[in-house]
Amino acid sequence: MRSTRSTTRKRSLADLLTGLTAVLGLVVLGLLCPAVAQAQSPGVLATGLHIADGRLVEGNGNDFVMRGVNHAHTWYPSRTQSLADVKALGANTVRVVLADGHRWSANSATDVANVVAQCKANRLICVLEVHDTTGYGEDGAAGTLDEAADYWIGLKNVLAGQENYIVINIGNEPWGNTDPAGWTVPTIAAVQKLRNAGFQHTIMVDAPNWGQDWQGVMRANAQSVYAADTTGNLIFSIHMYSVFDTAQEITDYLNAFVNAKLPIVIGEFGGPADQYGDPDEDTMMATAVQLKLGYLAWSWSGNTDPILDLALNFDPKQLSSWGQRIFNGVNGIAQTSKEATVYGGTSADTQAPTAPGTPAASAVTATSVTLGWTAATDNVGVAGYDVVRISGGTETDAAASTTNSVTVTGLTASTAYTFAVYARDAAGNRSARSATVNVTTGSAPTGICSVAYRIVGEWPGGFQGGITLRNTGTAAINGWKLVFVFADGQTVSNMWGGTATQSGGTVSVAPASYTSTVPVGGSVDVGFIGTKGATNTAPTAFTLNGSACTVS
C-alpha cells in the first residue's frame, strides 16, 4: 500500500539487500519444494462470486476478471464520487480501503453499507479490505488478522446477501518482513473464523512481506491455506511493486499459481520507479491479460507519493501519466475490462459496433499526439475504443479510451506515424477499422530538460506540490540542481525525492540518491509539502544546472 496516512515503506534498505537474493531464488524455491501443489476442487459453492477450477467466476459460472483500482475510502470518506469516476473510465472493480478501529477510526456498518450500495449503483464489483493489519510483526501499530475477522463478523448483517457483488479481503498486507513464515497459521485461522461465522462470500488473502511475498511464504503455503477453506472460495492476492522489477519474476510467480489451479489476483501494483527499484508494470499487465487474471492498480488519489496518484486531486480529468497508463494504455482498463454479468452484461450479444469516424490529430508534440474521432454506435452500447499504429501490414496497440478521444504518448520526435481506431462493446465484439490518419511528430526540444509543476492538493495555509523533471537532452544527467522562484512567499517545509534549500522565494533542489541520475528520455519525480498565503502562483521558470528548462 501507499497511503497518505502511513509512512511505512515496503521494505527497509537492509531488507532490500537480503530481498534481492530471495527474489532471485523464487524460481529455485518452486523447484526445491512444490510451492503450490494442484488445488483441489471446491466443496460447497458460494452464492454469487465463487471459485471454480482455479478461477473467480460469477454465480452464473461466467469468468469474472477484475480490472480496477484501489480507493482510499477510510481516509477520504467524503470522496464517494470516486466510485462513479473510476467506473466512467472503464473499471469493473474497486478495492475499497476500510479500517477496523485498531489503527484508524473504524468504518461504521452504515458507512460500509453505503459503500456497497454505491458500488452496486455504479455497476462495480467491490473488494472490501481492512487496512489496519498492514505490516503486522514489523509495524508495531498494525492489528491482527483475528481482529480484522472480528470486524467483518460485526458487519455480517450488512454483508450477508451481497455475495454477488463483494469480495472480503480480510486484511491488507497482514505481515511485514519479520518472520514472515508466521503468516500462514493466522491466515488459516482468520479464514476459518469467517466460515464458522457463516460467511459464504469469496474471501481474499494478501501475502506477507508487505504484500509482495519476496521470501515465497504464500507461494509455498498456498495449497494448505486454500485447503483450509472448506468452501474452496478463496483467492490469493499478490502486491507487485519494486520487488517485481523483471519479467521473469512476474511470470514465474503468476504462472506458479495458475498452473496449480490456485486463484490469484494482483491486488495492488505500482509502475513508477521509487528508491527501491522500477516495477515492470508492462509485464504485470500483459501477463494478467494473457493469463486472464485480475489486477487492481494503486491507487485512485490521495497518496503521499504523488507519482502513484492515478488522478491528481481526485479529478478524473487530471489523470497522471500513471493514470493514463492504467486506464488508457496497452492492456489497460479501457482496453480489457468487462462489466460483471450480474449487472446485465451478457456474452449473448454478437453484433459489433459500427466503425468509428476517421481520427483527427491535434496537439502534436515531439512525443505525443491527441486523436479524436466521431463516436461509433452499437445495438447495446460502445464500451471503448482501441487505437492502433499501422506500419505496412502490421498493427500495434497504441492506446485505449472509453471516450472518442485519447492522447497517444511515447512517440519519437520528427517521425511519421499512421493511426486508426476500432470500437468494441461490453461483449468483446470489435468493429471494422476506421480510416487512417497520418501524423508527423514535432522536433525534439532543443534544451536538455523540461519541468512539469503541479499542485496536488491545497488547504488553508498549506499545499502539496509535485515536480517532474524530464531529460530531453542527448546524454544522461548525473547529479543536478534545479532552481525556481516562488512569487507569493511560499516555502518548502518537507520534500521527498530531493533536498530543498531556500533563500527568500528562490528554491534550490538537490537530488536524493535515487533521483540523481536521469536517463535520456527519462524523468524523476520530486514531491513536497509547502506553506502558502492566500495566493499560490506556480513558478514560471526553472533552471537545471544553470540551463533553462521548458515548462510543460
Side-chain angles (χ1 to χ4, degrees), residues 114-435:
N114 180 55
V115 167
V116 173
Q118 293 210 37
C119 281
K120 292 167 69 175
N122 288 291
R123 304 164 72 92
L124 290 163
I125 296 300
C126 204
V127 179
L128 303 174
E129 61 103 339
V130 163
H131 218 74
D132 306 65
T133 57
T134 305
Y136 179 79
E138 185 174 354
D139 188 335
T144 67
L145 282 170
D146 187 64
E147 291 167 332
D150 286 339
Y151 174 74
W152 294 121
I153 291 170
L155 293 174
K156 186 178 178 184
N157 288 341
V158 170
L159 304 178
Q162 304 299 328
E163 292 87 351
N164 275 308
Y165 308 100
I166 67 173
V167 172
I168 297 175
N169 190 176
I170 304 179
N172 181 70
E173 301 178 1
W175 212 275
N177 294 322
T178 303
D179 187 27
W183 166 90
T184 305
V185 171
T187 298
I188 289 174
V191 171
Q192 292 179 334
K193 191 170 192 175
L194 292 182
R195 294 304 185 208
N196 291 337
F199 281 80
Q200 292 297 308
H201 308 72
T202 292
I203 291 174
M204 183 181 291
V205 294
D206 283 8
N209 295 126
W210 301 90
Q212 296 197 83
D213 202 29
W214 57 270
Q215 289 177 292
V217 171
M218 185 172 82
R219 177 174 171 173
N221 293 279
Q223 177 57 59
S224 63
V225 174
Y226 184 84
D229 181 0
T230 55
T231 73
N233 295 306
L234 186 76
I235 187 168
F236 297 92
S237 173
I238 183 67
H239 293 184
M240 290 186 165
Y241 292 99
S242 50
V243 164
F244 291 92
D245 56 0
T246 69
Q248 191 69 51
E249 291 161 352
I250 295 161
T251 56
D252 281 351
Y253 196 94
L254 296 177
N255 274 293
F257 281 77
V258 171
N259 292 339
K261 293 189 175 180
L262 285 168
I264 191 166
V265 63
I266 305 176
E268 285 185 22
F269 69 107
D274 60 23
Q275 62 266 50
Y276 303 119
D278 187 1
D280 183 0
E281 71 277 14
D282 290 341
T283 298
M284 295 175 201
M285 296 167 71
T287 305
V289 170
Q290 176 193 0
L291 299 177
K292 298 182 180 180
L293 302 179
Y295 66 65
L296 303 170
W298 186 274
S299 85
W300 176 240
S301 199
N303 290 284
T304 50
D305 294 317
I307 57 172
L308 286 176
D309 275 2
L310 297 161
L312 303 180
N313 204 29
F314 293 92
D315 184 353
K317 296 179 181 178
Q318 294 187 61
L319 292 183
S320 65
S321 57
W322 174 226
Q324 289 287 358
R325 175 70 187 92
I326 288 298
F327 286 106
N328 299 323
V330 176
N331 296 315
I333 287 173
Q335 191 177 65
T336 65
S337 175
K338 293 185 179 180
E339 185 177 85
T341 59
V342 72
Y343 293 120
T346 173
S347 57
D349 177 16
T350 59
Q351 182 174 326
T354 62
T358 304
S362 62
V364 181
T365 72
T367 59
S368 66
V369 59
T370 297
L371 300 175
W373 53 89
T374 301
T377 60
D378 185 65
N379 63 316
V380 176
V382 175
Y385 298 90
D386 299 326
V387 176
V388 294
R389 190 170 68 232
I390 302 169
S391 178
T394 303
E395 290 184 359
T396 304
D397 290 334
S401 177
T402 56
T403 66
N404 59 326
S405 67
V406 73
T407 299
V408 182
T409 60
L411 306 179
T412 302
S414 303
T415 302
Y417 292 93
T418 300
F419 296 102
V421 185
Y422 292 93
R424 53 186 157 71
D425 61 22
N429 299 309
R430 205 181 200 197
S431 73
R433 196 174 78 186
S434 73

